[in-house]
Amino acid sequence: MSKAIRIHAHGGPEVLTYEDSDPGQPGAGQILIRHTAIGLNFIDVYHRSGLYPPPGGFPLIPGGEAAGVVLAVGAGVGGLQPGHRIAYAVNVGAYSEKRVIAADRVVKVPDGISDEQAGAMMLKGMTAEYLLRRTHKVKAGDTILYHAAAGGVGLILGQWAKHLGATVIGTASSVDKVELAKAHGFDHVINYKEQDFVAGVAAITGGKKCDVVYDSVGNDTFPASLDCLRPLGMFVSFGQSSGPIPPFSMSLLAQKGSLYATRPTLFVYNAKREDLVASAQALFDVVLSGAVEIKINQRYALKDAAQAQSDLEGRKTTGTTILIP
Ligand SMILES: NC(=O)c1ccc[n+]([C@@H]2O[C@H](COP(=O)([O-])OP(=O)(O)OC[C@H]3O[C@@H](n4cnc5c(N)ncnc54)[C@H](OP(=O)(O)O)[C@@H]3O)[C@@H](O)[C@H]2O)c1
């Protein structure tokens, strides 16, 4: 019998239980895979806590990112065979030794990228890809602000934004995190526990402020993030690690400088197979070229997923984290 982390009701990390779980056999268009490395993401916390409803109800196997090996293919699946190394980013189901998944949601992992790297980077890295290349097309000379710069998405996005030629400003909550972010593409990092980040951004930019703010912290950084934008700048709210932002009036965007605001998700940006493939390829390219380095900063056994989530929520992790089945 295969093992998985399942939850039967919303709650704290203690609701993550390590149980027997039959992955089943692949149907038409599906593949059965054995996971080799599973990525840890903040969205897993939202599914556990109930901030996001459980897709498919309970019991729920959380987890949106992993790498693995194909064990069997269902009818009508082309291009994949047992033994192929694959990776993916989806909504749930990754906290498991084995799973069945739609073949059109996975991509083959190229030589030169390890299973651990692929398992750690698909969701975070393709998020960095669409944020930088599609939500706002970052170009040389742009100035961007990214909160929680030393986090999983942050260390990837910082390197990629630097590679695109932007001036990259970040925030982080400790001296060590500030230094780590500076080693991963961020030109300036503000310790937002110690310093007002709006004043910090104004000082760094000589009052010109930023073309785009990527805000996944949410409640604690809103509405101050809007004050870091130049007129007609783009506010990208793509997460809420400190809690959701409160409802606000559209007229606030007018008052703050005719701003744009969007609330994007990876799953909409990569819903079409062609977009998923292009997004994954762009990520593989920057990693294989050396422009973006993927280091694994924390490793836990799959059965210890509760500890891993507790550390992520407790702001104890940096960069990417994997669970080993
Ligand atoms: N919309 C999308 O498509 C999409 C896709 C992927 C991820 N996301 C979002 O992107 C964000 C980053 O995801 P991640 O998995 O890479 O996580 P992460 O950045 O590694 O962890 C979250 C970070 O947020 C900061 N933070 C600020 N206030 C916090 C609080 N009250 N509690 C916990 N953390 C707090 C912490 O950094 P400091 O200690 O430095 O403040 C923490 O390390 C999450 O909000 C996630 O939901 C969105």
Side-chain angles (χ1 to χ4, degrees):
M1 182 61 78
S2 180
K3 292 279 189 187
I5 294 283
R6 302 205 296 182
I7 66 174
H8 298 267
H10 294 306
E14 70 283 352
V15 301
L16 297 161
T17 50
Y18 191 57
E19 299 176 357
D20 288 341
S21 175
D22 181 0
Q25 289 303 313
Q30 296 179 322
I31 56 174
L32 174 67
I33 57 178
R34 177 177 60 79
H35 286 141
T36 48
I38 300 158
L40 180 74
N41 288 279
F42 225 92
I43 190 173
D44 310 343
V45 172
Y46 306 145
H47 283 134
R48 192 208 72 219
S49 70
L51 183 64
Y52 290 177
F58 292 121
L60 170 73
I61 300 176
E65 174 181 62
V69 180
V70 178
L71 296 178
V73 302
V77 173
L80 287 174
Q81 292 164 10
H84 278 157
R85 295 168 65 229
I86 56 85
Y88 65 83
V90 297
N91 220 356
V92 292
Y95 285 17
S96 52
E97 290 179 342
K98 295 178 188 170
R99 77 173 295 172
V100 166
I101 190 168
D104 68 359
R105 289 290 93 195
V106 310
V107 293
K108 284 192 215 164
V109 178
D111 292 345
I113 294 180
S114 71
D115 282 25
E116 287 202 346
Q117 288 175 312
M121 77 180 189
M122 296 307 293
L123 196 150
K124 300 169 198 77
M126 291 196 292
T127 297
E129 184 281 320
Y130 85 77
L131 290 174
L132 292 172
R133 295 173 11 124
R134 291 186 273 166
T135 305
H136 178 91
K137 289 186 202 309
V138 172
K139 56 190 186 311
D142 281 358
T143 300
I144 77 167
L145 173 64
Y146 183 95
H147 290 303
V153 177
L155 292 189
I156 298 174
L157 187 140
Q159 297 177 78
W160 202 329
K162 190 71 202 157
H163 177 62
L164 292 172
T167 297
V168 193
I169 306 174
T171 59
S173 71
S174 72
V175 173
D176 287 350
K177 287 184 177 185
V178 166
E179 290 311 312
L180 187 67
K182 282 185 179 166
H184 290 82
F186 287 88
D187 297 292
H188 311 271
V189 185
I190 301 163
N191 182 337
Y192 57 1
K193 273 230 166 120
E194 308 271 310
Q195 195 194 346
D196 173 13
F197 68 82
V198 176
V201 166
I204 290 164
T205 60
K208 290 193 175 140
K209 306 195 216 177
C210 301
D211 299 281
V212 56
V213 174
Y214 296 110
D215 189 332
S216 68
V217 170
N219 185 56
D220 287 359
T221 45
F222 187 85
S225 283
L226 301 180
D227 293 320
C228 298
L229 283 164
R230 61 154 171 81
L232 308 185
M234 170 72 89
F235 174 62
V236 183
S237 167
F238 73 105
Q240 52 274 309
S241 49
S242 70
I245 62 173
F248 66 93
S249 164
M250 289 288 281
S251 61
L252 187 64
L253 301 177
Q255 291 161 27
K256 300 286 185 185
S258 298
L259 303 178
Y260 295 86
T262 184
R263 186 21 180 126
T265 68
L266 173 65
F267 304 120
V268 170
Y269 273 82
N270 280 1
K272 289 189 203 143
R273 172 76 187 166
E274 70 214 60
D275 292 330
L276 164 63
V277 169
S279 184
Q281 191 58 54
L283 174 62
F284 291 147
D285 287 348
V286 287
V287 173
L288 288 169
S289 75
V292 172
E293 203 182 342
I294 305 292
K295 294 182 210 145
I296 314 297
N297 286 6
Q298 296 80 208
R299 290 179 177 80
Y300 301 81
L302 174 61
K303 68 178 172 47
D304 297 328
Q307 185 62 51
Q309 285 204 0
S310 173
D311 290 347
L312 180 64
E313 283 179 282
R315 303 164 88 159
K316 291 181 185 155
T317 65
T318 59
T320 64
T321 302
I322 54 168
L323 309 174
I324 311 285

